[in-house]
């Protein structure tokens, strides 16, 4: 546009900077969505995959539900379990927000890789070597859930998130739920309640913990997608989802202006 049209031309350097910001925000949104999708789909994909594999082999599929998500290592969905955790671990390690969240995300990512690479012992117990690896697995699993809860609670107070209550509240709810489900799983393990159930309390608590983490990240991804206006074809869906989050999280962030610095 010429100066005769009443507007000054935008310097090329400013255009490049704005384009880089859009690209960075788009990358962050995809990382958030990737973590959310893994968290939401993994607990269901494991038993569904086991059931499909059993039916294809002519079996009934009665053993589709393992005793825990970690028990999927010894089922038909081992590759799905290990691959999803490795992807989640890499996502969390490379994700950057602020210093504290970077450290906690890296810890969670390393723990996710540890859970994937050091399997739990099989149902029969295994030899001494497998038992030692299983101890490492349990340590990584507890540390993963704890760091996931801590990450969500830290994001609740993070700059750029705390200004929007409909985004920050899901993080708070997810962090509290993960800690509550961990306590319930520990109580069930100590009392041996539900060990003979089709879906054991341990699997159910792990399932709901991962879901809480996944839904919080999915909500954050959709919020950022709306901010940068990069999903024009699904804007109605994004608006509907965010419209559901706003009543849950309060109306405090609805009328506040958005800035690129807040992203």
């Amino acid at each position: 546009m010429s100066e005769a049209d009443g507007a000054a031309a935008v310097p090329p350097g400013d255009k490049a900077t704005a384009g880089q910001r859009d690209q960075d925000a788009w990358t962050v949104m995809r990382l958030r969505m990737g973590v959310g999708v893994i968290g939401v789909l993994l607990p269901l994909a494991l038993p569904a995959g086991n059931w499909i594999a059993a039916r294809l082999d002519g079996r009934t599929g009665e053993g589709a539900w393992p005793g825990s998500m970690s028990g999927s290592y010894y089922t038909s969905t081992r590759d799905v379990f290990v691959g999803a955790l490795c992807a989640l671990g890499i996502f969390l390690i490379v994700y950057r927000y602020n210093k504290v969240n970077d450290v906690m995300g890296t810890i969670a990512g390393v723990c996710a890789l540890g859970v994937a690479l050091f399997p739990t012992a099989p149902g029969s117990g295994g030899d001494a070597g497998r038992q030692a690896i299983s101890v490492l697995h349990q340590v990584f699993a507890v540390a993963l859930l704890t760091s996931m809860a801590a990450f969500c609670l830290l994001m609740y107070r993070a700059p750029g998130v705390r200004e929007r209550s409909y985004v920050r509240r899901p993080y708070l709810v997810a962090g509290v739920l993960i800690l509550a489900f961990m306590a319930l799983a520990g109580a069930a393990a100590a009392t041996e309640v539900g060990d003979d159930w089709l879906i054991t309390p341990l699997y159910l608590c792990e399932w709901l913990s991962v879901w809480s983490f996944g839904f919080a990240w999915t909500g954050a991804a959709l919020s950022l997608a709306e901010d940068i206006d990069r999903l024009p074809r699904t804007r109605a869906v994004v608006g509907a989802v965010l419209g559901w989050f706003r009543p849950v999280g309060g109306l405090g962030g609805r009328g506040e202006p958005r800035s690129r610095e807040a992203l």
Side-chain angles (χ1 to χ4, degrees):
M1 181 179 294
S2 65
E3 294 183 3
D5 295 327
V10 179
D14 291 348
K15 288 183 179 181
T17 302
Q20 184 63 45
R21 287 179 178 175
D22 287 342
Q23 182 180 16
D24 291 345
W26 182 243
T27 301
V28 170
M29 190 277 290
R30 286 192 169 185
L31 281 174
R32 290 179 179 179
M33 185 61 72
V35 173
V37 168
I38 291 175
V40 171
L41 295 183
L42 181 60
L44 294 176
L46 297 176
N50 290 333
W51 184 86
I52 293 172
R55 299 300 295 175
L56 291 176
D57 290 341
R59 294 179 281 118
T60 61
E62 293 180 356
W65 291 93
S68 66
M69 290 182 65
S70 298
S72 300
Y73 187 86
Y74 300 100
T75 66
S76 302
T77 54
R78 174 171 61 184
D79 292 343
V80 175
F81 175 73
V82 174
L85 281 180
C86 287
L88 179 63
I90 296 300
F91 279 151
L92 292 174
I93 290 173
V94 302
Y95 182 78
R96 291 292 176 263
Y97 196 83
N98 58 30
K99 185 175 181 179
V100 176
N101 291 90
D102 290 351
V103 172
M104 192 55 61
T106 300
I107 293 174
V110 171
C111 290
L113 294 176
V115 171
L117 300 179
F118 295 93
T120 186
S124 58
D127 54 23
R130 285 194 171 184
Q131 288 295 331
I133 293 176
S134 181
V135 171
L136 285 175
H137 175 88
Q138 299 300 329
V139 171
F140 278 123
V142 173
L144 173 60
L145 291 174
T146 304
S147 58
M148 285 165 57
F151 186 92
C152 289
L153 295 175
L154 288 172
M155 285 297 292
Y156 173 73
R157 300 293 302 172
V161 174
R162 61 188 176 198
E163 289 81 7
R164 292 179 236 164
S165 58
Y166 65 91
V167 177
R168 67 191 291 241
R169 295 289 177 83
Y171 277 123
L172 175 63
V173 172
V176 172
L177 286 178
I178 292 172
L179 294 177
F181 291 137
M182 288 180 64
L184 289 175
T191 59
E192 298 183 354
V193 172
D195 287 348
D196 56 343
W197 295 357
L198 174 62
I199 306 176
T200 64
L202 177 57
Y203 192 98
L204 183 61
C205 289
E206 291 176 338
W207 174 0
L208 296 176
S209 296
V210 176
W211 258 18
S212 300
F213 190 72
F215 278 122
W217 277 73
T218 302
L222 293 176
S223 172
L224 182 55
E226 184 188 53
D227 285 343
I228 62 178
D229 197 22
R230 294 300 299 268
L231 294 178
R233 295 185 179 180
T234 57
R235 192 172 300 145
V237 177
V238 173
V241 173
L242 293 179
W244 181 85
F245 275 117
R246 286 190 180 103
V248 173
L251 303 177
R254 179 174 293 184
E256 298 175 2
R258 301 185 179 97
S259 63
R260 293 194 179 276
E261 289 75 15
L263 300 180

